[in-house]
Amino acid sequence: GAGVSQTPSNKVTEKGKYVELRCDPISGHTALYWYRQSLGQGPEFLIYFQGTGAADDSGLPNDRFFAVRPEGSVSTLKIQRTERGDSAVYLCASSLEGVAKDTQYFGPGTRLTVL
Amino acid sequence: AQRVTQPEKLLSVFKGAPVELKCNYSYSGSPELFWYVQYSRQRLQLLLRHISRESIKGFTADLNKGETSFHLKKPFAQEEDSAMYYCALKVRQGAQKLVFGQGTRLTINP
């Protein structure tokens, strides 16, 4: 079946602008995760949804970052007043139930460049 | 706090030689450890997890709680093993987030 998809694949924006990144999880997966991967680093956790609610948002770096999942499927990561330091690959993953034995399946990522 | 360390950013070996990618972790509880792999122009995918105790594509990894390590090994490297490898940790209870190391780029030379 279809895997996790993310759009757009690339996004170039100017400092100070607002961006939205979209994630479509695997159908039926209740758990959804956002990670950020800076150049030369491993993915870094941002936020985890179980259904419609954010179960853990401890990784969001500041209040410019916000994510929603209103119907428990598609999720949108929103970044306000973008800064050059926000440039990274934003990865989305989903898993079946969000329990310990789950496997997280990753999307291809959105490469965000802030000029 | 949980932390995963992969001391080698780059590792290059010849085809047919043994491979060992190092991973050390810090966590006071009982962790679950994973190896993820990213081949060129592909997405990040799970290679193996310690609780499965299985061999995938000839790779194995043993959790050593005394040394807090989870090194990835393969006795005979193949060219198709060239990829980026990430070690990751997940706590057993509570948050389901993965904590990743910075990754090791493995290159298998012909």
Side-chain angles (χ1 to χ4, degrees):
Chain A
V4 177
S5 61
Q6 293 185 244
T7 54
S9 55
N10 280 283
K11 175 71 177 178
V12 180
T13 190
E14 293 180 341
K15 180 175 179 294
K17 299 289 189 184
Y18 167 84
V19 296
E20 289 189 352
L21 311 179
R22 176 187 167 110
C23 172
D24 280 89
I26 293 172
S27 178
H29 280 193
T30 63
L32 185 146
Y33 315 78
W34 284 99
Y35 294 85
R36 177 169 71 173
Q37 187 171 20
S38 301
L39 192 63
Q41 302 297 317
E44 182 182 22
F45 171 78
L46 296 177
I47 187 170
Y48 154 58
F49 286 90
Q50 181 59 262
T52 60
D56 182 355
D57 64 357
S58 62
L60 294 178
N62 51 59
D63 61 6
R64 295 187 298 105
F65 288 75
F66 190 70
V68 295
R69 196 185 185 200
E71 298 178 357
S73 178
V74 170
S75 176
T76 305
L77 178 66
K78 309 180 180 194
I79 310 174
Q80 298 177 319
R81 304 183 305 278
T82 52
E83 299 177 356
R84 293 196 179 88
D86 298 335
S87 296
V89 176
Y90 288 81
L91 297 170
C92 177
S94 71
S95 70
L96 189 57
E97 296 178 339
V99 296
K101 65 179 186 291
D102 270 4
T103 295
Q104 293 184 24
Y105 295 90
F106 283 80
T110 294
R111 182 175 298 279
L112 175 66
T113 303
V114 182
L115 301 177
Chain B
Q2 305 93 35
R3 178 176 291 179
V4 175
T5 303
Q6 294 178 250
E8 303 141 329
K9 289 195 101 166
L10 302 170
L11 182 62
S12 182
V13 301
F14 285 102
K15 178 182 170 182
V19 172
E20 182 179 51
L21 289 87
K22 291 184 167 50
C23 171
N24 289 89
Y25 67 90
S26 63
Y27 176 56
S28 57
S30 183
E32 187 172 356
L33 275 297
F34 304 80
W35 277 98
Y36 276 80
V37 61
Q38 188 167 26
Y39 300 103
S40 180
R41 289 184 290 279
Q42 294 187 27
R43 62 187 66 191
L44 198 60
Q45 59 186 282
L46 178 66
L47 180 62
L48 54 80
R49 57 202 304 169
H50 90 269
I51 59 172
S52 300
R53 302 186 66 81
E54 57 190 345
S55 173
I56 304 293
K57 299 185 179 183
F59 284 98
T60 58
D62 290 318
L63 179 61
N64 185 323
K65 291 187 178 180
E67 296 183 356
T68 60
S69 68
F70 187 57
H71 303 327
L72 183 68
K73 300 178 183 180
K74 183 169 183 176
F76 306 104
Q78 299 172 292
E79 287 185 67
E80 55 265 34
D81 295 329
S82 293
M84 197 74 189
Y85 291 80
Y86 294 95
C87 182
L89 172 156
K90 184 163 69 171
V91 303
R92 285 288 182 87
Q93 289 85 30
Q96 296 302 311
K97 65 182 181 184
L98 289 168
V99 177
F100 285 87
Q102 69 175 10
T104 297
R105 180 170 297 282
L106 176 65
T107 302
I108 308 301
N109 300 304

